[in-house]
């Protein structure tokens, strides 16, 4: 092959990648050195990266390698369920994980081990009191994961557990919110509201993409109020939960109680109002509650993934109410801010991680802060499990899959779904020929994303959109590409679409 500068660069990269790969493999080799328990740890470390923590703990607890010969491995499992899951559903993951640990396995069998009866699930308190000085064994590691996963509660669960309380998560505070230029206005507005409830900005409307800190800020207001004036009545609720409660109250003929309950609040926080879009009945009830609170100078704080104007099918009077108060946005953090956030999170959780790894994570995970935290946690869990220090090489390897997945998993349907949902239109309107302005903008955005995210040829995009000419697609692509650098609103719109695309498809 001719040694062009491009080839040289490619080869240099390739060599660097190989060095990094063999370095990691070397580490893994040293770790298990032909010992089944160590090998199993390495395999589990790989699997943990591919499946959810809860599944990992459920199916891999109390498992071990019983034998490994001629490419056939027998895994000891505690019960028939685990046998079925490991042999069928996780078979592929296991083969891949053995391969990644430099052991070629072609057959996986499970055997229920009689000597390790399935212990009943320990109560939370019992798990919590596990001695911290407990010898670090594989079982200890899994138990620790169990504690962690039993502590993970999605936002929505709060109201189920404590129906008459605030629903506030005490973790979300102004003190641990990193302020930078992407969120300083939103933070300042939220803080001002917490110091001047109902009198300064009412309603306060915060908008921004997924995982950028809206819930954190909204809840910080609630936590601040409850710290200083615990007698105030506070309610945090997502708009989806609000809708469900409303529907229940209609079913049980308790709408008056429902309204009464909400109208007595001093601070009502409704998260993710974009989900009210199209739900007329809920919007009407919300409007009444909103007015009652507003007239009494009670505080209302709202969040959404986009400004009120852009919420399709939002009742006009509700939209003008939202626009009548203060509106502040949160945008995507830049690299320096992402680094600062990672450093703060690592410090908060006592995670020792080198600067280079932090920078690597911040450079590669750019979409949202929730993913940024997730990546840090993954790297930390991997290193803790293998008892190795966090280095750039390990970090790169651990996140390789995550970074790849983010790109790979997008399909045409995903793009079309995001576009039709965002603009509130039907797919067939996008496909059929027509010159309506709103539709033509959405169509151009769809064409742009098909090209930029999937690298589809212009001719195929044209064919997909009802046999349009490839020059039409090229024109759309160039128009958006140009507009993106000149028009900040278009840039934000595009960012929101991409966030939805990647965030939703990666779960
Ligand atoms: P959103 O509601 O916008 O989807 P969240 O408020 O749930 O996002 O934030 C996602 C995660 O990122 C949370 O764990 C939150 O604590 C964290 N986070 C977001 N922004 C910041 C920030 N500026 N400083 C510290 N943590 C942040
Ligand atoms: Mg949120």
């Amino acid at each position: 092959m001719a040694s062009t500068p491009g080839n040289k660069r490619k080869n240099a990269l390739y060599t660097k990648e190989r060095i990094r790969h063999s370095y990691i493999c070397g580490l893994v080799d040293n770790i298990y050195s032909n010992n089944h328990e160590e090998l199993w740890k390495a395999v589990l470390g790989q699997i943990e990266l591919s499946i959810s923590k809860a599944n990992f703990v459920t199916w891999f607890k109390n498992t071990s390698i019983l034998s490994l010969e001629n490419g056939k491995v027998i895994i000891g499992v505690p019960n028939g369920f685990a046998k079925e899951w490991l042999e069928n559903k996780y078979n592929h993951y296991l083969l891949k994980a053995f391969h990644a640990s430099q052991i070629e396995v072609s057959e996986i069998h499970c055997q229920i081990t009689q000597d390790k009866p399935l212990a009943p699930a320990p109560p939370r308190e019992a798990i919590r009191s596990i001695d911290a000085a407990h010898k670090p064994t594989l079982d200890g590691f899994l138990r620790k994961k169990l504690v962690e996963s039993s502590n993970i509660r999605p936002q929505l669960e709060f109201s189920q557990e404590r129906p008459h309380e605030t629903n506030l998560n005490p973790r979300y505070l102004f003190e641990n919110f990193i302020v930078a230029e992407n969120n300083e206005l939103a933070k300042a507005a939220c803080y001002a509201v917490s110091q001047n409830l109902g009198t300064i900005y009412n309603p306060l409307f915060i908008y921004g993409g997924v995982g950028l800190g809206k819930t954190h800020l909204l809840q910080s207001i609630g936590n601040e109020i409850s710290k200083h004036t615990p007698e105030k009545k506070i309610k945090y609720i997502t708009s989806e939960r609000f809708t469900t409660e409303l529907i229940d109250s209609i079913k049980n003929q308790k709408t008056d109680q429902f309204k009464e309950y909400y109208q007595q609040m001093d601070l009502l926080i409704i998260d993710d109002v974009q989900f009210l879009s199209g739900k007329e009945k809920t919007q009407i009830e919300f409007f009444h509650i909103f007015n009652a609170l507003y007239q009494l100078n009670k505080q209302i704080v709202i969040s959404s993934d986009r400004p009120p104007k852009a919420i399709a099918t939002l009742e006009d009077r509700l939209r003008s109410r939202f626009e009548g108060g203060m509106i502040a946005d949160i945008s995507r953090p830049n690299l320096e801010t992402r680094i600062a956030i990672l450093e703060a999170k690592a410090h908060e959780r006592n995670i020792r991680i080198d600067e280079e790894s932090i920078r690597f994570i911040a450079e590669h995970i750019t979409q949202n802060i929730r993913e940024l935290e997730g990546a840090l946690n993954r790297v930390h869990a991997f290193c803790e499990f293998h008892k190795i220090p966090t280095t750039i090489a390990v970090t790169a390897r651990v996140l390789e899959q995550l970074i790849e997945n983010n790109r790979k998993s997008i399909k045409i349907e995903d793009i079309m779904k995001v576009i039709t949902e965002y603009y509130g239109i039907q797919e067939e309107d996008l496909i059929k020929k027509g010159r309506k302005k709103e539709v033509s903008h959405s169509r151009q955005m769809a064409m742009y994303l098909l090209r930029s995210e999937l690298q589809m040829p212009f001719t195929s995009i044209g064919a997909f959109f009802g046999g349009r000419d490839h020059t039409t697609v090229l024109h759309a692509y160039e128009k958006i590409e140009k507009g993106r650098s000149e028009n900040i609103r278009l840039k934000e719109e595009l960012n929101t679409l991409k966030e939805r695309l990647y965030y939703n498809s990666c779960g």
Side-chain angles (χ1 to χ4, degrees):
M1 194 190 286
S3 172
T4 62
N7 274 339
K8 262 193 201 152
R9 205 167 42 244
K10 248 190 237 159
N11 287 341
L13 276 178
Y14 181 59
T15 316
K16 209 167 129 200
E17 195 49 43
R18 280 185 56 161
I19 293 172
R20 192 203 274 165
H21 183 75
S22 53
Y23 171 65
I24 299 287
C25 294
L27 273 181
V28 176
D29 272 348
N30 288 343
I31 295 163
Y32 57 74
S33 60
N34 293 334
N35 168 325
H36 284 170
E37 185 170 341
E38 293 302 331
L39 168 61
W40 192 229
K41 274 188 194 178
V43 169
L44 290 186
Q46 290 289 327
I47 290 180
E48 199 203 351
L49 298 176
S50 326
I51 65 177
S52 76
K53 199 178 270 181
N55 270 333
F56 178 67
V57 174
T58 308
W59 302 114
F60 290 91
K61 191 169 183 276
N62 286 340
T63 56
S64 57
I65 294 180
L66 298 180
S67 74
L68 171 61
E69 253 176 278
N70 304 330
K72 182 175 159 187
V73 64
I74 300 183
I75 298 166
V77 293
N79 54 51
F81 296 119
K83 178 175 160 62
E84 198 184 316
W85 278 67
L86 264 60
E87 283 183 350
N88 299 311
K89 190 163 158 66
Y90 290 124
N91 181 293
H92 176 66
Y93 290 93
L94 282 163
L95 291 175
K96 251 173 89 177
F98 275 107
H99 177 75
S101 307
Q102 311 291 294
I103 298 288
E104 290 313 322
V105 162
S106 51
E107 272 181 58
I108 291 176
H109 296 280
C110 292
Q111 193 174 312
I112 301 170
T113 40
Q114 303 300 326
D115 55 334
K116 265 193 191 164
L118 180 63
R124 247 191 218 178
E125 285 68 20
I127 309 173
R128 276 190 221 291
S129 65
I130 292 170
D131 183 2
H134 186 76
K135 189 171 165 281
T137 59
L138 184 59
D139 197 42
F141 172 78
L142 284 167
R143 261 191 290 178
K144 187 161 170 289
K145 293 281 161 202
L146 186 60
V147 178
E148 285 168 14
S149 58
S150 69
N151 282 340
I152 297 171
R153 290 186 294 177
Q155 283 167 20
L156 291 183
E157 270 181 32
F158 279 88
S159 63
Q160 283 162 358
E161 279 182 20
R162 308 186 304 182
H164 299 296
E165 293 191 24
T166 61
N167 287 343
L168 291 172
N169 180 340
R171 203 165 67 82
Y172 293 131
L173 301 169
F174 287 125
E175 289 84 336
N176 59 12
F177 187 83
I178 309 284
V179 184
E181 60 182 4
N182 65 310
N183 58 25
E184 63 186 342
L185 177 65
K187 152 76 200 294
C190 287
Y191 188 73
V193 159
S194 76
Q195 305 301 308
N196 306 273
L197 209 59
T199 55
I200 183 162
Y201 304 131
N202 206 10
L204 170 61
F205 191 105
I206 303 289
Y207 76 90
V210 172
L212 294 182
K214 300 182 297 296
T215 299
H216 188 137
L217 269 185
L218 260 55
Q219 293 223 6
S220 300
I221 304 176
N223 282 320
E224 180 79 9
I225 301 289
S226 77
K227 186 165 88 188
H228 296 297
T229 42
E231 69 283 3
K232 295 274 187 207
K233 289 200 170 119
I234 303 168
K235 186 79 182 177
Y236 165 89
I237 191 157
T238 64
S239 76
E240 283 172 306
R241 181 91 208 153
F242 182 84
T243 307
T244 314
E245 281 188 15
L246 174 66
I247 293 168
D248 282 351
S249 78
I250 295 170
K251 239 191 265 159
N252 303 324
Q253 297 175 338
K254 286 188 174 159
T255 11
D256 287 345
Q257 274 133 295
F258 174 84
K259 267 192 256 178
E260 230 168 73
Y261 175 74
Y262 281 98
Q263 286 173 359
Q264 50 159 341
M265 295 301 155
D266 296 300
L267 166 61
L268 176 61
I269 304 171
I270 308 250
D271 208 353
D272 291 322
V273 286
Q274 70 274 9
F275 294 120
L276 290 186
S277 174
K279 294 180 184 135
E280 275 170 42
K281 179 85 186 151
T282 314
Q283 287 187 27
I284 292 167
E285 292 306 339
F286 180 53
F287 181 76
H288 291 311
I289 292 169
F290 185 107
N291 276 351
L293 289 172
Y294 184 76
Q295 275 155 15
L296 293 167
N297 281 342
K298 304 293 191 66
Q299 182 72 46
I300 300 143
V301 182
I302 299 153
S303 88
S304 164
D305 68 349
R306 59 191 99 161
K309 259 198 195 63
I311 308 181
T313 64
L314 186 67
E315 243 205 299
D316 280 346
R317 51 185 184 163
L318 202 48
R319 180 179 329 214
S320 71
R321 279 287 189 221
F322 288 170
E323 285 175 344
M326 164 80 170
I327 302 183
D329 75 316
I330 307 186
S331 58
R332 199 101 56 81
N334 62 21
L335 178 65
E336 280 66 39
T337 309
R338 296 200 296 276
I339 292 178
I341 290 175
L342 280 172
E343 280 170 348
K345 300 278 173 189
H347 181 74
E348 216 175 80
R349 279 178 229 153
N350 258 332
I351 295 177
R352 283 161 67 107
I353 178 163
D354 63 310
E355 265 176 45
E356 257 192 312
S357 297
I358 293 245
R359 177 168 271 274
F360 180 91
I361 300 175
E363 274 173 352
H364 287 84
I365 312 282
T366 58
Q367 300 294 321
N368 74 53
I369 298 168
R370 191 175 300 138
E371 279 193 357
L372 207 59
E373 278 188 281
L376 175 70
N377 290 341
R378 267 185 192 210
V379 172
H380 174 59
F382 183 88
C383 295
E384 195 191 1
F385 183 32
H386 291 294
K387 310 260 173 306
I388 51 175
T390 315
T391 59
I392 175 81
V394 180
T395 303
R397 173 96 164 120
V398 172
L399 297 184
E400 196 175 272
Q401 229 179 353
L402 180 79
I403 295 166
E404 269 284 287
N405 285 351
N406 274 0
R407 293 261 138 221
K408 259 196 214 150
S409 54
I410 301 302
K411 294 190 281 300
I412 297 179
E413 304 90 271
D414 300 323
I415 292 181
M416 295 309 281
K417 185 160 179 272
V418 164
I419 293 280
T420 50
E421 280 179 7
Y422 185 85
Y423 294 106
I425 45 175
Q426 301 294 322
E427 187 168 326
E428 61 192 56
D429 292 332
L430 281 179
I431 305 284
K432 77 179 176 211
K433 303 214 168 166
R435 293 200 157 264
K436 266 170 89 187
K437 197 162 173 274
E438 322 82 79
V439 180
S440 91
H441 174 69
S442 344
R443 186 184 299 124
Q444 288 177 341
M445 292 298 260
M447 288 174 167
Y448 179 83
L449 287 176
L450 288 174
R451 175 70 183 180
S452 69
E453 305 309 296
L454 301 184
Q455 287 80 45
M456 262 173 86
F458 290 126
T459 42
S460 313
I461 299 176
F464 179 79
F465 283 96
R468 284 176 165 81
D469 195 75
H470 77 276
T471 52
T472 311
V473 185
L474 180 65
H475 169 73
Y477 179 79
E478 284 177 344
K479 187 174 162 207
I480 304 294
E481 182 64 23
K482 185 158 177 274
R484 189 167 87 102
S485 48
E486 292 168 356
N487 177 343
I488 192 130
R489 284 194 67 136
L490 182 68
K491 188 174 154 202
E492 279 184 5
E493 197 174 313
L494 211 51
N495 282 345
T496 308
L497 289 170
K498 282 193 198 170
E499 259 155 28
R500 292 177 144 224
L501 196 57
Y502 288 106
Y503 182 75
N504 292 339
S505 68
C506 302

